[in-house]
């Protein structure tokens, strides 16, 4: 946290269950086609690039600094219409304020910081 603002939003991508990204790779299919790791990577990267092209106009305008929020927003945008993702965001772990044992919420503790990051993500 810095000035009461979440700073590590990119780290939350590790928590986000991206159905869209998961659907881009089928290990059984790759094994049946006897694909090499290099070929699998190339194929998945191509799928991700194709998907991200939809958002090119939002990412960076000419002569402008890139908005770094894109790094954590892209996985969210990829799956925002998925019912699983919508229900994940409604999960009480995500939507309720994390309180200390005494029932209060402290701006300085780690739980509060995590909560503020999750609210921003939501």
């Amino acid at each position: 946290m810095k000035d009461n603002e979440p700073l590590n939003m990119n780290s939350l991508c590790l928590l986000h269950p991206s159905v869209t990204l998961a659907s881009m790779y089928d290990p059984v299919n790759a094994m049946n086609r006897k694909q090499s790791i290099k070929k699998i990577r190339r194929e998945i990267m191509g799928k991700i690039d194709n998907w991200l092209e939809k958002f090119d106009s939002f990412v960076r305008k000419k002569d402008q600094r890139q908005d770094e929020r894109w790094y954590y927003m892209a996985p969210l945008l990829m799956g925002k219409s998925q019912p699983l993702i919508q229900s994940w965001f409604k999960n009480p772990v995500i939507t309720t304020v994390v309180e200390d044992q005494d029932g209060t919420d402290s701006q300085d503790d780690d739980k509060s910081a995590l909560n503020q990051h999750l609210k921003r993500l939501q």
Side-chain angles (χ1 to χ4, degrees):
M1 299 291 293
K2 183 176 180 183
D3 299 327
N4 275 346
E5 290 294 319
L7 291 180
N8 296 314
M9 295 302 297
N10 293 345
S11 298
L12 292 180
C13 289
L14 299 172
L15 300 175
H16 179 259
S18 180
V19 175
T20 305
L21 284 174
S23 69
M24 291 182 182
Y25 173 64
D26 178 355
V28 173
N29 182 297
M31 286 176 50
N32 287 339
R33 294 188 296 153
K34 298 179 180 10
Q35 287 186 303
S36 68
I37 295 293
K38 190 175 184 178
K39 172 72 174 154
I40 292 168
R41 282 188 187 131
R42 195 176 317 122
E43 190 173 292
I44 293 171
M45 287 174 66
K47 290 177 182 179
I48 292 170
D49 286 344
N50 288 338
W51 194 94
L52 290 176
E53 283 177 7
K54 299 175 191 177
F55 298 98
D56 273 352
S57 62
F58 298 107
V59 177
R60 183 190 291 185
K61 308 282 188 229
K62 284 188 176 184
D63 301 324
Q64 286 183 334
R65 182 173 175 242
Q66 182 170 338
D67 187 339
E68 293 184 10
R69 293 178 295 181
W70 178 248
Y71 294 107
Y72 75 86
M73 292 301 297
L76 295 174
L77 292 170
M78 290 176 102
K80 73 177 186 168
S81 64
Q82 297 282 341
L84 175 66
I85 302 307
Q86 291 172 5
S87 68
W88 185 76
F89 272 113
K90 293 176 186 171
N91 186 313
V93 172
I94 303 297
T95 59
T96 59
V97 175
V98 178
E99 297 177 341
D100 288 336
Q101 290 178 348
D102 63 0
T104 61
D105 182 38
S106 168
Q107 292 290 351
D108 298 327
D109 69 9
D110 290 340
K111 291 178 185 176
S112 178
L114 176 60
N115 186 57
Q116 289 184 46
H117 280 73
L118 291 172
K119 284 185 179 201
R120 173 76 52 89
L121 185 68
Q122 191 176 29

